[in-house]
Amino acid sequence: MIVNQWVPAAHRGDAIGDSARTVRAMLRARGLQSDLFAMTIDEDLRGDVREFSDPAARTGDVTIFHFALPSPMTEAFASLRGRRVLQYHNITPAQFFAPYDVGMFRLAALGRSELRTLVGRVDLALGDSDFNRQELEAMGFDPTGVVPIAVNTDRITTAPRRPALEKILSDGLINILFVGRIVPNKRIEDHIRLAEVYKRYVDSYYRFIFVGRYDGVPRYYAQIRALINQYEMLPDRFWFTGSVPDEDLAAFYRWADVYVSLSEHEGFCVPLVEAMAADVPVLAYAAGAVPETLGGAGVLFSPKDLELAAEAMGMLVYDRPVRDAVIAGQRKRLLDFSTERVDAQLWAALAPFGIDTRVGPASPGERE
């Protein structure tokens, strides 16, 4: 049996593409023929990921389509003869982009509109969280289920050291980390406001580090910079790194004292899992799928009281028993995202298709 996957773009370090490659390893370990097809492929992934124009992309007995943005793949997927499984990774609501970027607003709106065209045209609709599954159900998809992203934590826990970068990060300042795109739903302006409260009431020896692209919504990034100037903060206490290689990302996690998420919309939030894998205590605003992903681990708060958040952040940094207890809870939660458990959820979801498998889950040495 052939079980293929489609992703619009395959980029090294991209959570969706990395997850699809891990799922491909699971499928192959079960004795199935499986390939991954994409419209856009990083040069170093060519030969590993196949071109969507390849006729073999349409030959799957089952095809899993990873949907996160509008693309020509959507209609092609709906017209396949084989069984069709939609894996929905969420689309940021368009209203977050309205004040900053008309193009991004239209893209997000088009994405949700295009998603609706698949209602009644798929055999199974999966969310990578129950938050996403509920959105699919509300649109009219049936049946639905949940299979989480297969997060590649090895790139964080086994990466080589970066001595020059780590020398800077170990200079005595408290490193407060965020990983992700600098876009409006992440509410980076609230991080800046949190820094002001933290400095005023808790500690002035801090550094906020934002790892991720900041050129996607230029007007929004300019607003963040203006807010830093408005508060008359030291610019070197706020690092906006842009995209970084895995070795640098691992170093930022390794030296982070706290991971902070103040986002107001998340469909899963992979960095929460990465932070747990790196033993970085997580402080997060309870929005979207964040409570579900943390599953009782980390420290959640709501409503968005930044004075409370600053106090909690100080406790996670300086109160060793509290910090140790939070990390212990996160280690327990991390087990739920192991390859073995994701593999089990994947096969439970695909069971109705009568897929015959000859061997068990991939062992660590077999994973890609």
Side-chain angles (χ1 to χ4, degrees):
M1 178 174 279
I2 302 172
V3 182
N4 288 329
Q5 296 178 89
W6 293 3
V7 294
H11 300 304
R12 178 77 66 179
D14 173 70
I16 296 173
D18 284 351
S19 177
R21 291 168 67 236
T22 300
V23 167
R24 182 186 60 188
M26 294 176 185
L27 294 166
R28 289 176 174 177
R30 295 273 185 166
L32 301 172
Q33 183 177 334
S34 181
D35 281 299
L36 177 61
F37 298 88
M39 298 180 64
T40 304
I41 306 171
D42 280 356
E43 194 60 39
D44 67 333
L45 290 177
R46 293 187 180 277
D48 182 35
V49 179
R50 300 175 67 174
E51 294 280 356
F52 179 62
S53 57
D54 189 326
R58 281 106 176 134
T59 61
D61 298 296
V62 177
T63 301
I64 302 171
F65 175 34
H66 297 267
F67 189 100
L69 72 162
S71 78
M73 277 187 166
T74 304
E75 188 56 35
F77 174 70
S79 64
L80 288 174
R81 291 187 177 182
R83 309 298 290 273
R84 299 177 294 276
V85 177
L86 172 69
Q87 174 88 57
Y88 177 49
H89 297 282
N90 202 269
I91 299 170
T92 303
Q95 62 263 27
F96 282 105
F97 299 105
Y100 305 103
D101 191 308
V102 173
M104 291 292 288
F105 174 87
R106 289 175 177 167
L107 185 66
L110 177 61
R112 271 201 166 72
S113 176
E114 194 168 285
L115 177 64
R116 289 189 180 92
T117 68
L118 293 176
V119 174
R121 304 170 76 187
V122 303
D123 298 288
L124 175 64
L126 299 172
D128 50 25
S129 64
D130 193 59
F131 178 82
N132 288 344
R133 186 202 65 78
Q134 289 181 39
E135 182 179 344
L136 292 172
E137 189 174 65
M139 285 185 180
F141 286 96
D142 182 59
T144 61
V146 176
V147 174
I149 290 178
V151 182
N152 177 18
T153 57
D154 286 349
R155 71 183 186 126
I156 305 300
T157 58
T158 65
R161 306 296 296 234
R162 300 285 283 172
L165 175 58
E166 294 186 45
K167 183 177 180 180
I168 298 171
L169 294 171
S170 61
D171 61 1
L173 293 178
I174 298 302
N175 294 312
I176 301 160
L177 182 63
F178 166 85
V179 176
R181 297 177 302 147
I182 307 303
V183 290
N185 60 296
K186 306 294 186 181
R187 292 302 190 218
I188 304 303
E189 63 269 36
D190 288 340
H191 288 250
I192 309 306
R193 296 183 181 109
L194 175 62
E196 174 64 17
V197 176
Y198 184 80
K199 177 186 71 173
R200 186 181 305 166
Y201 297 115
V202 181
D203 184 10
S204 60
Y205 294 94
Y206 65 86
R207 174 168 48 222
F208 279 67
I209 303 171
F210 303 92
V211 180
R213 290 186 57 181
Y214 52 79
D215 58 353
V217 188
R219 288 184 62 186
Y220 179 67
Y221 179 60
Q223 175 182 296
I224 300 305
R225 283 296 189 184
L227 187 60
I228 294 171
N229 291 334
Q230 179 183 328
Y231 281 128
E232 299 182 346
M233 293 171 161
L234 297 172
D236 63 354
R237 298 296 182 89
F238 300 90
W239 286 13
F240 291 86
T241 69
S243 298
V244 300
D246 286 351
E247 293 83 359
D248 286 3
L249 178 63
F252 285 119
Y253 276 116
R254 190 177 297 124
W255 286 94
D257 294 283
V258 182
Y259 184 90
V260 174
S261 170
L262 299 177
S263 175
E264 294 190 355
H265 183 87
E266 293 291 338
F268 183 87
C269 198
V270 165
L272 298 178
V273 179
E274 293 176 339
M276 290 191 285
D279 276 347
V280 182
V282 173
L283 174 66
Y285 176 58
V290 168
E292 180 184 347
T293 300
L294 287 176
V299 176
L300 281 170
F301 69 96
S302 182
K304 192 177 278 187
D305 182 335
L306 296 183
E307 290 190 9
L308 174 65
E311 182 179 353
M313 193 161 70
M315 291 179 66
L316 289 173
V317 171
Y318 293 112
D319 191 322
R320 179 56 60 178
V322 170
R323 182 182 181 87
D324 289 347
V326 169
I327 289 174
Q330 293 180 177
R331 288 175 178 172
K332 183 178 179 181
R333 173 56 174 162
L334 188 64
L335 297 174
D336 293 328
F337 297 104
S338 68
T339 302
E340 292 76 15
R341 294 196 184 181
V342 174
D343 179 89
Q345 289 176 273
L346 174 65
W347 291 108
L350 296 180
F353 298 127
I355 296 175
D356 180 32
T357 61
R358 297 192 299 272
V359 294
S363 66
E366 294 173 316
R367 294 173 202 153
E368 299 175 358

